[in-house]
Amino acid sequence: MEGFHLIPSLSIQCVLQDYDPLPPISGSPLTPGPPLWLLHPLLGHVGGETRIIKGYECPPHSQPWQAALFQKTRLLCGATLIAPRWLLTAAHCRKPRYVVHLGAHSLGRQDGCEQTRTATKSFPHPDFNNSLPNKDHRNDIMLVKMVTPAHLTWAVRPLTVSPRCVPAGANCLISGWGTMSSPQLHLPHTLRCANVTIIKHRECEDAYPGNITDTMVCASVRKEGKDSCQGDSGGPLVCNGSLQGIISWGQDPCAVSKKPGVYTKVCKYVDWIQKTMENN
């Protein structure tokens, strides 16, 4: 089975302020206009839990599958667009409702490529258990279905999901708007990227004894302390042009020497992803 993504014909231009109508919350009247997150660069606060430290600003719109999940003005998690109505993120990011931001580079300044969608349907992996002590990181994967599909442009398009797992030594990229420093929080204005390397499974097990399964993959933070951090959870680990990991968990503070970031190994879940999308 080959990797898949669903891409209708792409528009050349970005879509200016392409917003879903936001349904009222708790019976309150709908207030028109753009979401509050676009009016101030750091409005709200980061709510994600896990792990890009000492990375670099991504070239604008170079990661067109990158999504941000908000609760009102609160950055919750990252996510990856894998089909026009579907996002893949971490199961520990689950909330009843999300405001989804697509095509964004800066969280404080619009450039005409942004799209906003709402989502109220979450499909966490059935074997994810968030109730265990200190949380259980196994099967930390979830599909989120948007109310209306994204309008695909050069700045908003899905990423391939492949059943072919990448080997140790593969060079990959992580991205997100999470904190740039740890343990103090310093949120970036623009999307950040970092280059990381897949490490051997045994090396990952040695770093986190008893906590690593065959559905997890670790990426090295040994060079210059690069790592994902708070607010990046649920975001993509991209290797060889396909989605290979979901930012899941790691050491706190982030980018600690010899403690790699841990990612849900997406290649192990392709059948579940396809069946869940087909059945819903």
Side-chain angles (χ1 to χ4, degrees):
M1 179 172 51
E2 295 299 320
F4 67 94
H5 54 185
L6 308 176
I7 303 185
S9 59
L10 302 182
S11 299
I12 300 300
Q13 300 297 323
C14 291
V15 178
L16 179 61
Q17 296 184 356
D18 187 1
Y19 297 116
D20 259 359
L22 302 182
I25 302 174
S26 304
S28 61
L30 178 63
T31 301
L36 291 176
W37 78 292
L38 291 172
L39 304 180
H40 189 282
L42 294 180
L43 188 63
H45 62 283
V46 63
E49 292 182 3
T50 322
R51 320 323 50 194
I52 300 270
I53 303 289
K54 294 184 180 179
Y56 55 92
E57 180 178 347
C58 305
H61 309 298
S62 62
Q63 311 301 311
W65 41 79
Q66 177 80 47
L69 301 182
F70 274 71
Q71 285 193 294
K72 297 183 180 179
T73 62
R74 180 175 181 254
L75 174 61
L76 176 67
C77 282
T80 305
L81 185 71
I82 62 168
R85 288 186 68 172
W86 290 95
L87 302 163
L88 200 60
T89 187
H92 77 259
C93 296
R94 186 180 186 181
K95 296 292 180 185
R97 165 192 171 93
Y98 318 89
V99 178
V100 182
H101 296 285
L102 302 163
H105 179 63
S106 169
L107 294 187
R109 184 181 66 255
Q110 298 182 52
D111 62 12
C113 294
E114 297 83 359
Q115 298 179 38
T116 303
R117 297 290 183 268
T118 55
T120 56
K121 293 184 177 180
S122 300
F123 302 90
H125 193 277
D127 295 326
F128 177 73
N129 188 344
N130 201 27
S131 63
L132 295 180
N134 300 318
K135 296 191 177 180
D136 179 11
H137 301 291
R138 289 174 293 178
N139 304 302
D140 190 11
I141 186 171
M142 176 173 70
L143 281 158
V144 172
K145 188 176 185 181
M146 296 180 287
V147 174
T148 57
H151 180 69
L152 301 187
T153 70
W154 68 274
V156 176
R157 56 186 172 87
L159 180 60
T160 299
V161 176
S162 174
R164 297 178 180 176
C165 304
V166 293
N171 294 317
C172 306
L173 185 140
I174 52 177
S175 55
W177 288 277
T179 182
M180 295 189 296
S181 59
S182 179
Q184 298 80 18
L185 294 183
H186 175 212
L187 299 184
H189 291 254
T190 55
L191 186 66
R192 306 287 294 181
C193 286
N195 299 309
V196 294
T197 304
I198 302 297
I199 66 172
K200 293 179 180 179
H201 195 74
R202 175 58 61 87
E203 190 175 343
C204 189
E205 291 176 324
D206 290 344
Y208 301 104
N211 291 308
I212 302 300
T213 70
D214 64 356
T215 59
M216 299 175 189
V217 62
C218 288
S220 171
V221 298
R222 288 170 295 189
K223 294 182 180 179
E224 302 174 11
K226 296 172 184 174
D227 195 8
S228 47
C229 202
Q230 292 178 325
D232 294 320
S233 279
L237 171 76
V238 182
C239 315
N240 299 333
S242 68
L243 181 63
Q244 288 289 331
I246 296 169
I247 297 173
S248 180
W249 63 284
Q251 182 72 17
D252 192 21
C254 318
V256 172
S257 178
K258 298 182 181 179
K259 289 289 186 179
V262 187
Y263 304 80
T264 305
K265 198 170 185 177
V266 173
C267 59
K268 297 288 190 178
Y269 294 94
V270 170
D271 287 344
W272 173 79
I273 293 169
Q274 288 183 316
K275 289 176 182 177
T276 302
M277 291 169 61
E278 290 169 0
N279 293 336
N280 293 281

